[in-house]
Amino acid sequence: QLQLQESGPGLMKPSETLSLTCTVSGGSISSSNYYWGWIRQPPGKVLEWIGSIYYSGSTYHNPSLKSRVTISVDTSKNQFSLKLSSVTAADTAVYYCACNLKPIGAMVFDHWGQGTLVTVSS
Amino acid sequence: DIQMTQSPSTLPASVGDRVTITCRASQSISTWLAWYQQKPGKAPELLIYKASSLESGVPSRFSGSGSGTEFTLTISSLQPDDFATYYCQQYNIYSTFGQGTKLEIK
């Protein structure tokens, strides 16, 4: 059973760079046809797709965040990561990592982590 | 950006009811639409993808339909476990979610 677990800082200050890691267990991140992605949800608000990465390394980003987002895969650690630069209070949200295990699209996810709350405050 | 508008925002219903949630896209997305269920404090769970394909393990009382700009999620007979918030998601051009429909006990 594939499981995903996010890890990150919890609390950050404005202008810092957010770094989150998703550790994959029960499966290989380098398996073909899998997309891995990040989605966030500000408290009480709507879900927002941040970006996706294919097992081969091809990436897709939300245009509204693209200039601040980096998504990468570390096959040696079976992890993928998100970096979001120049954070502000508007980036306060629960961040989810997710994946899909069948070819349903780069931005649709059938497995999700439990989510991690990141708060940006001075 | 493609905007997704769900209606209603809140839907009071009772166990056993048949309920329908509507999602409208600001431009045609063919059938590139998914539906998720989310319970408080939990991650979303995929119910439907490609507008009408039922995700494995999801009860058959859930169904999706539509194409182009108008889509529906129907629950044929509400069960106690179904009271949650439902989101539609387009993935035709990048991805955007609707604002959610909270299904609550009448």
Side-chain angles (χ1 to χ4, degrees):
Chain A
Q1 176 77 358
L2 193 80
Q3 292 189 322
L4 307 172
Q5 178 66 60
E6 305 89 350
S7 56
L11 181 62
M12 303 183 62
K13 295 187 183 305
S15 81
E16 293 181 334
T17 294
L18 168 64
S19 291
L20 292 174
T21 296
C22 184
T23 300
V24 179
S25 58
S28 172
I29 201 166
S30 57
S31 296
S32 62
N33 297 323
Y34 290 7
Y35 278 97
W36 310 91
W38 291 95
I39 305 94
R40 69 181 183 179
Q41 186 172 34
K45 295 188 178 179
V46 180
L47 296 158
E48 180 180 32
W49 170 74
I50 298 170
S52 301
I53 187 166
Y54 195 42
Y55 77 102
S56 64
S58 301
T59 55
Y60 309 83
H61 301 99
N62 187 325
S64 68
L65 299 170
K66 184 175 182 178
S67 62
R68 299 197 290 136
V69 169
T70 302
I71 297 175
S72 59
V73 169
D74 187 338
T75 55
S76 67
K77 296 182 179 179
N78 222 33
Q79 295 174 336
F80 63 106
S81 64
L82 168 69
K83 292 189 187 300
L84 181 67
S85 63
S86 305
V87 298
T88 69
D91 295 310
T92 293
V94 174
Y95 285 75
Y96 296 100
C97 63
C99 71
N100 63 43
L101 304 185
K102 50 185 176 288
I104 56 177
M107 292 157 275
V108 182
F109 303 105
D110 53 18
H111 283 70
W112 293 63
Q114 65 185 26
T116 186
L117 176 62
V118 176
T119 302
V120 181
S121 174
S122 56
Chain B
D1 287 10
I2 298 178
Q3 308 301 319
M4 305 301 294
T5 304
Q6 287 182 234
S7 60
S9 296
T10 305
L11 180 55
S14 301
V15 172
D17 284 354
R18 178 184 178 89
V19 299
T20 298
I21 298 169
T22 297
C23 181
R24 289 186 173 87
S26 59
Q27 65 187 75
S28 177
I29 57 170
S30 184
T31 55
W32 301 113
L33 185 101
W35 290 96
Y36 295 85
Q37 178 193 71
Q38 186 178 35
K39 296 181 178 178
K42 300 294 187 181
E45 294 186 2
L46 181 65
L47 300 173
I48 302 280
Y49 59 94
K50 210 155 186 309
S52 60
S53 295
L54 191 67
E55 169 66 356
S56 175
V58 174
S60 58
R61 63 181 180 272
F62 291 91
S63 64
S65 65
S67 66
T69 62
E70 187 150 338
F71 302 85
T72 59
L73 173 71
T74 299
I75 308 172
S76 61
S77 178
L78 266 179
Q79 299 302 301
D81 191 49
D82 299 338
F83 291 98
T85 299
Y86 293 83
Y87 292 95
C88 63
Q89 177 204 20
Q90 71 81 18
Y91 52 104
N92 181 51
I93 300 176
Y94 298 109
S95 175
T96 45
F97 289 84
Q99 82 278 15
T101 294
K102 184 176 182 180
L103 187 52
E104 61 180 32
I105 299 173
K106 185 186 291 184

